[in-house]
Amino acid sequence: MEASSASKPHNKRLESILIEVKLRAEGASSDDELITAIKRLEQFPQPVAYDNRRLNMFASIFAALFILIGAALYFIQIPEEYLFVPLGGLVLVLVIYGSFWHQRRASFDKLSDRIHFRSTLFDYNLQEIRVHAPDKAKELAGRFTSFRKGNHQRLIEQWLEGKHEGEENSFNYNYYHFHYVDRRRVTTTDSKGNVRTKTVYDHHHRYGFIVPFKYARNIDIAEKYLKLFQTGYKTSSISFNKKFSVNFDSEMEVVKFLKPAVLQAIEATGDALSEIVLEFNGSGDLCFSFGNNDTIRINREFSLKQPKEFAAEIEGKANQPRLTAALAFIEKLMKYSDDNFS
């Protein structure tokens, strides 16, 4: 099999192995299996790359041809409109060349990103769950008001399932990416008095965690400038009151929950993340959401072009500071809300 594969042209052989690496990566259940997939590329000269010599040659020949044709037409003083033919041909050559070049480069980057992401899931004990995006959003809207935004469309673009093993508290959680769309009509009048109406679609993205949380119910906390609600309720913290609004059913419940340590933890997280909302529903679940899209970042240093270095990088522990901090914050809320905490 290897002998037959080695007889293939370089690019065909590389494409075949990249497909194999992709299939192995998607089916992997550990970093070790990802590393095994990456090492399939070690048979190629380093750094691994497509052989673009033939592509460069054809692009150069056709580009030169159209330039010569254009120059010839110009010197024989042909009407200018005919010069657009060789010019158009030259542009077409450059577009096709750029498309092939970009596609080949992107094939490495996209697959490298995917492998890095899969490795992060393994390191953080996370699992991708396939969901029907509109149905999942509808289900969550029945549990949290945070998912009732968007008058046109609501989608759960990503749904991860994990378990956090903390020093003092462990908990199951889901991480999500919520994409919602608002539709509105905009009417404008030009300088001649002509009225024009068009439909505008505003796309919004929210990210967050859903966690079982038995310590608080029917309490909402949000940054004031989001204007989700204005209750006038004041906590014991002046700095907290300036930044956050609190909505609740029971004042006794909210006073019990919002201890000074909890207020400080929420403030600190509000400084680190944008547009945070904490929604504790009546069923004992927390939806902790925010606007930052880099909870899980693709922060790799190497790629499949350097398989040895990339394999070593995947072997190490993924570093996702925002994910780590968010999980630590939820653990703090549990710790500070426990009746045994003083």
Side-chain angles (χ1 to χ4, degrees), residues 66-340:
F66 283 117
I67 291 172
L68 288 173
I69 292 173
L73 293 177
Y74 176 79
F75 281 115
I76 63 175
Q77 298 183 344
I78 201 164
E80 288 186 3
E81 56 266 25
Y82 290 103
L83 292 176
F84 285 102
V85 175
L87 179 61
L90 177 61
V91 170
L92 182 62
V93 168
L94 295 176
V95 168
I96 293 174
Y97 173 77
S99 177
F100 269 101
W101 184 86
H102 175 74
Q103 185 178 7
R104 287 178 171 181
R105 178 179 179 180
S107 65
F108 280 99
D109 290 340
K110 188 175 180 180
L111 185 50
S112 299
D113 288 349
R114 179 62 181 167
I115 290 172
H116 183 275
F117 176 73
R118 294 277 292 162
S119 176
T120 293
L121 297 187
F122 298 146
D123 290 347
Y124 279 85
N125 197 23
L126 279 161
Q127 183 179 0
E128 284 182 289
I129 306 296
R130 290 186 180 181
V131 297
H132 186 259
D135 288 349
K136 192 63 180 180
K138 184 177 181 180
E139 175 205 324
L140 293 171
R143 297 170 58 193
F144 300 98
T145 59
S146 296
F147 296 97
R148 296 171 195 167
K149 299 177 180 180
N151 61 18
H152 178 66
Q153 191 175 43
R154 299 167 182 168
L155 303 167
I156 297 298
E157 301 276 2
Q158 186 179 57
W159 185 253
L160 305 180
E161 187 175 278
K163 183 170 184 178
H164 173 65
E165 300 284 355
E167 292 182 5
E168 299 185 55
N169 287 284
S170 298
F171 52 86
N172 296 318
Y173 68 93
N174 291 104
Y175 173 80
Y176 67 84
H177 169 194
F178 176 44
H179 173 200
Y180 65 94
V181 183
D182 284 317
R183 181 179 61 188
R184 56 190 172 91
R185 299 284 286 172
V186 176
T187 301
T188 57
T189 305
D190 62 22
S191 58
K192 296 181 180 179
N194 297 316
V195 178
R196 182 187 174 197
T197 302
K198 64 178 181 178
T199 301
V200 176
Y201 296 92
D202 298 315
H203 292 259
H204 307 274
H205 298 268
R206 297 285 293 172
Y207 307 83
F209 298 82
I210 295 176
V211 186
F213 197 92
K214 64 183 181 180
Y215 306 102
R217 293 174 188 266
N218 298 314
I219 299 173
D220 301 323
I221 302 167
E223 293 195 41
K224 278 189 172 179
Y225 79 92
L226 294 175
K227 297 180 179 179
L228 299 182
F229 43 79
Q230 300 292 333
T231 62
Y233 176 77
K234 302 296 183 183
T235 71
S236 59
S237 169
I238 295 174
S239 57
F240 181 93
N241 296 336
K242 287 180 179 179
K243 187 167 186 177
F244 296 97
S245 295
V246 183
N247 190 34
F248 52 87
D249 283 356
S250 167
E251 186 167 351
M252 183 181 297
E253 179 99 8
V254 80
V255 170
K256 179 182 177 182
F257 173 62
L258 291 179
K259 301 173 183 177
V262 170
L263 294 174
Q264 289 175 11
I266 294 173
E267 281 191 75
T269 299
D271 291 337
L273 296 172
S274 67
E275 304 175 357
I276 74 166
V277 176
L278 296 164
E279 182 180 353
F280 304 87
N281 68 11
S283 301
D285 296 313
L286 162 65
C287 177
F288 164 41
S289 65
F290 40 85
N292 306 75
N293 64 358
D294 58 350
T295 309
I296 300 177
R297 296 188 303 121
I298 303 300
N299 53 4
R300 59 181 173 80
E301 183 178 353
F302 299 101
S303 75
L304 289 169
K305 292 182 179 180
Q306 305 96 11
K308 291 181 180 178
E309 292 85 352
F310 191 40
E313 185 175 17
I314 293 300
E315 189 175 13
K317 170 75 174 177
N319 179 27
Q320 298 292 344
R322 283 207 189 276
L323 178 57
T324 301
L327 294 172
F329 165 65
I330 296 170
E331 186 180 355
K332 280 183 183 179
L333 289 184
M334 292 180 175
K335 173 185 175 181
Y336 298 155
S337 301
D338 194 306
D339 289 337
N340 296 321

